[in-house]
Amino acid sequence: MTPELLWKLGRVTGLGISKDGKYVVYSVNTPDLEANKGSRKSYIMPVNGGTAVQINNPDSLLNDKNVSPDGKYVLSNKEVKINKVSGKDFYPELAKSNVQIYDNLNDRHWDTWEDGNFDHVFISPVGKKEEGKDIMPDEPYDCPQKPFGGDEDYTWRPDGKAVVYVTKKKYGKEYAVSTNTDLYEYDIEKGTTKNLSEDNKGYDLNPSFNQQGQLAWLQMKRDGYESDKQDLVASTGKGTVNLTGYRDDIHVEGFRWSDDGKKIFFWAPINGTLQLFEVSSNADSGWTVYPPLSALKNASEKLPVIKQITKGDFDITGIVGQSGNKLIVSRTDMNHAAELFTVDIDKGDMARLTYVNDAIYKTIGVCKTERRWVTTTDNKKMLVWVIYPPDFDPTKKYPTLLYCQGGPQSALTQFYSFRWNFQLMASQGYIVVAPNRRGMPGHGTQWNEEISKDHGGQAMKDYLSAIDDVSKEKFVDKDRLGCVGASYGGYSVYMLAGIHNNRFKSFIAHDGIFDMRSMYGTTEEMWLLTGIGVDLIGTRKTQQRKNHIINSTRSIM
């Protein structure tokens, strides 16, 4: 793999199942380096596989979730001017003014200035968006959520009488320190809004109804903690049940209701991969409110039933739709970008549907990936992915890279990135060591949370344990070790540069935190500092007080 080949790969996105249930609809976006843009084409293929046919109007073949059940109205979102920010807002006669006036947080988000506009949800007659009604009038709140939210943040109730949407109804400093988004239900006839998740103080996201009107969504419990355990919850009108709370190892990434509304399919990290699961109601009790696990004598008879459907060294990265007893899913591994597969719901057997990038992959070698279990300094077992160059020869010696994952609390799985691509690194003749160090979901809540307020502690020891263990192999050239990473991985590189005791010869850091004091003074995401260990008046915990980079004797790129 080369950078040039990587940017020739088509990027496959499943769009859905056609209205008649016969076809998978998907798109392929292929980058054009010379034009500096992508070329997107859409296709259909029979749900059981077959010849792909290019189409020009994919939307016409798919059900639009934003159209009301009776087909008369459509949901959309657009920006609405709420607050005065620019000089011209305050003094219309000063048309050339380029002043921006702020008296509270947030003045910006990342690289975008707050301009007084907020995204709101609108209900419009089909074909007449100009007649839309703002269901969040005069509110200084966003739906979809910034910066990544889309139309998954709002949905119709199946009876068409209400809309449920996600927003964080906080402003200024309260907004900056909080992660407490809620689900709000807007009654169309009455024009009233009700908070459906008021009792929960953390994230509430991705509302989705089944056809029976039961609502499911993703939830975190604690306010200000972006990396809390993310569970799948459901409400039936008789109460709300946490469907995955009793499974400490499950952190739900995304989900989809079954067509009959009796199950929910979801994907979650588990031991270094993303796998497909289902959760169903207990046959006797249905979806009900369960007492605490500690109070149950026969928990297996009363708790929701969770079943892992797929197993293997690959990632299930999304569910496109259901066709009978099969799901259409997107799947990656460290040697292959996303392609579409079918999954037998009962057996877990998978069959490939798309072969978009095979012509390129057939021209290059495969990089072997290997699970390795390393004992940490506190005597725990840590999963480490080791990626070898194509045509690896154990009688030779190879330069070796320690990869430091960002997040910090994001899973290191069989992902295929178009930025930090393991296949690309290994194909240049490197062995890549990628540890599932402290602070990653998929290994239990304790493992994930042990990095909180300890960014420079045990996680750093885990990195060194991983590279030391792999370096015992004769094929590792210990005189040519490197350390690379971005974001928290960049922070890790900076810190390791000061404490590595001459293990590494080179370092590459991208977008890493170099100085905690500087970050505190520049970030607008004040809730992020909770996990790092900085309180709201800037007091740093012991492990952040020393800038280890000053001890580095190596150059850093």
Side-chain angles (χ1 to χ4, degrees):
M1 178 57 70
T2 66
E4 293 77 15
L5 279 180
L6 185 67
W7 283 85
K8 289 182 179 179
L9 295 177
R11 305 181 186 190
V12 180
T13 301
L15 302 178
I17 306 294
S18 61
K19 296 175 185 177
D20 60 11
K22 295 180 179 180
Y23 300 98
V24 182
V25 185
Y26 65 98
S27 66
V28 179
N29 189 13
T30 305
D32 184 331
L33 288 180
E34 291 187 4
N36 195 29
K37 64 181 182 179
S39 173
R40 186 181 300 275
K41 296 180 180 179
S42 299
Y43 300 87
I44 58 172
M45 175 185 290
V47 292
N48 291 318
T51 303
V53 177
Q54 187 176 343
I55 57 173
N56 296 320
N57 54 345
D59 291 345
S60 67
L61 301 178
L62 299 168
N63 289 312
D64 187 346
K65 79 169 195 68
N66 293 326
V67 174
S68 60
D70 63 8
K72 296 180 179 180
Y73 298 93
V74 64
L75 299 177
S76 62
N77 60 275
K78 66 178 180 180
E79 285 192 337
V80 178
K81 184 75 170 182
I82 301 295
N83 292 340
K84 294 180 178 181
V85 171
S86 70
K88 185 179 178 182
D89 291 339
F90 289 91
Y91 306 101
E93 67 276 14
L94 301 179
K96 296 183 179 181
S97 170
N98 61 0
V99 172
Q100 295 174 199
I101 302 170
Y102 301 98
D103 59 6
N104 208 332
L105 295 174
N106 282 345
D107 56 305
R108 63 174 172 82
H109 190 281
W110 296 351
D111 60 353
T112 303
W113 290 106
E114 174 57 60
D115 59 4
N117 291 313
F118 293 83
D119 271 311
H120 284 185
V121 180
F122 283 76
I123 301 175
S124 310
V126 171
K128 299 180 180 180
K129 284 191 176 181
E130 69 279 1
E131 299 179 14
K133 179 180 181 180
D134 184 353
I135 69 173
M136 305 165 62
D138 303 320
E139 295 186 348
Y141 315 122
D142 282 300
C143 181
Q145 290 292 286
K146 293 186 181 298
F148 298 127
D151 67 357
E152 74 278 0
D153 277 357
Y154 50 82
T155 188
W156 289 97
R157 203 170 68 189
D159 62 9
K161 296 180 179 180
V163 173
V164 173
Y165 65 93
V166 177
T167 194
K168 181 165 60 175
K169 294 200 174 185
K170 296 179 182 292
Y171 184 75
K173 178 183 175 182
E174 287 188 349
Y175 179 92
V177 301
S178 176
T179 58
N180 185 18
T181 57
D182 279 306
L183 307 186
Y184 291 88
E185 183 179 77
Y186 177 79
D187 186 297
I188 295 173
E189 182 179 350
K190 297 178 181 177
T192 57
T193 301
K194 177 173 64 174
N195 189 342
L196 300 179
S197 57
E198 187 173 8
D199 292 340
N200 187 58
K201 302 307 178 184
Y203 277 124
D204 293 284
L205 301 165
N206 293 84
S208 178
F209 287 96
N210 64 8
Q211 291 304 311
Q212 290 80 16
Q214 297 171 324
L215 178 64
W217 67 97
L218 299 178
Q219 184 178 90
M220 295 185 185
K221 287 294 185 184
R222 287 170 281 185
D223 193 8
Y225 186 20
E226 64 155 343
S227 299
D228 204 356
K229 184 179 187 296
Q230 184 159 271
D231 283 315
L232 178 59
V233 299
S235 176
T236 65
K238 298 179 180 179
T240 299
V241 56
N242 186 328
L243 301 173
T244 56
Y246 74 96
R247 281 284 299 269
D248 181 69
D249 58 334
I250 286 181
H251 176 98
V252 181
E253 295 278 335
F255 72 96
R256 185 190 187 280
W257 282 99
S258 63
D259 287 348
D260 63 9
K262 295 180 179 180
K263 299 179 180 179
I264 302 178
F265 304 108
F266 66 89
W267 60 100
I270 189 82
N271 288 325
T273 61
L274 286 173
Q275 297 298 330
L276 182 66
F277 296 79
E278 71 174 39
V279 58
S280 56
S281 61
N282 182 281
D284 297 324
S285 59
W287 301 105
T288 59
V289 181
Y290 299 97
L293 182 60
S294 60
L296 297 177
K297 296 181 180 179
N298 299 306
S300 62
E301 296 179 3
K302 300 195 178 199
L303 290 169
V305 180
I306 296 175
K307 170 190 170 185
Q308 184 173 337
I309 298 175
T310 59
K311 293 180 181 179
D313 286 348
F314 52 78
D315 280 2
I316 302 297
T317 58
I319 301 173
V320 179
Q322 182 177 356
S323 177
N325 70 331
K326 295 181 180 179
L327 293 177
I328 314 300
V329 301
S330 176
R331 169 177 147 172
T332 67
D333 60 56
M334 291 180 184
N335 281 285
H336 299 94
E339 298 279 3
L340 301 184
F341 287 72
T342 63
V343 180
D344 185 295
I345 294 170
D346 297 323
K347 300 177 181 178
D349 296 339
M350 303 188 73
R352 191 169 170 184
L353 288 176
T354 61
Y355 297 82
V356 170
N357 294 306
D358 272 24
I360 291 177
Y361 285 131
K362 287 178 181 178
T363 67
I364 60 176
V366 173
C367 297
K368 175 187 174 183
T369 64
E370 176 181 87
R371 290 174 177 267
R372 190 180 183 105
W373 291 95
V374 172
T375 301
T376 61
T377 58
D378 56 348
N379 205 35
K380 295 181 180 179
K381 293 296 183 182
M382 172 177 63
L383 171 65
V384 178
W385 284 112
V386 183
I387 304 96
Y388 296 92
D391 301 319
F392 169 73
D393 182 349
T395 66
K396 297 180 179 179
K397 284 188 176 293
Y398 294 85
T400 299
L401 299 175
L402 173 66
Y403 168 78
C404 302
Q405 173 84 331
Q409 287 159 292
S410 58
L412 199 169
T413 59
Q414 283 277 329
F415 61 75
Y416 195 90
S417 171
F418 287 92
R419 298 174 66 194
W420 291 84
N421 185 284
F422 295 133
Q423 183 185 37
L424 177 61
M425 295 183 208
S427 293
Q428 313 315 305
Y430 294 96
I431 294 171
V432 182
V433 178
N436 274 229
R437 47 106 180 116
R438 236 52 67 99
M440 293 189 182
H443 305 281
T445 301
Q446 181 179 354
W447 186 270
N448 188 42
E449 294 196 354
E450 282 184 353
I451 200 171
S452 295
K453 297 183 175 62
D454 192 29
H455 280 203
Q458 185 61 46
M460 297 299 152
K461 298 176 184 178
D462 290 348
Y463 284 134
L464 295 177
S465 294
I467 193 65
D468 286 350
D469 186 80
V470 178
S471 294
K472 295 175 183 177
E473 303 291 351
K474 293 181 179 179
F475 48 73
V476 171
D477 187 342
K478 288 187 284 188
D479 292 327
R480 291 190 294 166
L481 300 183
C483 181
V484 302
S487 190
Y488 174 76
Y491 166 86
S492 301
V493 170
Y494 291 138
M495 185 164 181
L496 289 170
I499 65 172
H500 69 106
N501 292 329
N502 294 315
R503 287 174 173 86
F504 301 107
K505 288 294 173 64
S506 62
F507 297 88
I508 300 175
H510 166 67
D511 198 27
I513 303 169
F514 188 83
D515 187 284
M516 291 291 180
R517 292 166 297 182
S518 174
M519 181 190 181
Y520 176 80
T522 56
T523 186
E524 70 288 347
E525 294 174 321
M526 303 304 291
W527 46 263
L528 181 61
L529 303 177
T530 302
I532 294 176
V534 181
D535 68 22
L536 294 179
I537 60 172
T539 303
R540 293 174 297 148
K541 304 299 180 182
T542 302
Q543 68 270 11
Q544 273 86 38
R545 287 181 181 164
K546 186 174 182 181
N547 192 340
H548 293 274
I549 194 68
I550 62 175
N551 298 324
S552 177
T553 59
R554 308 293 189 202
S555 60
I556 301 176
M557 183 182 295

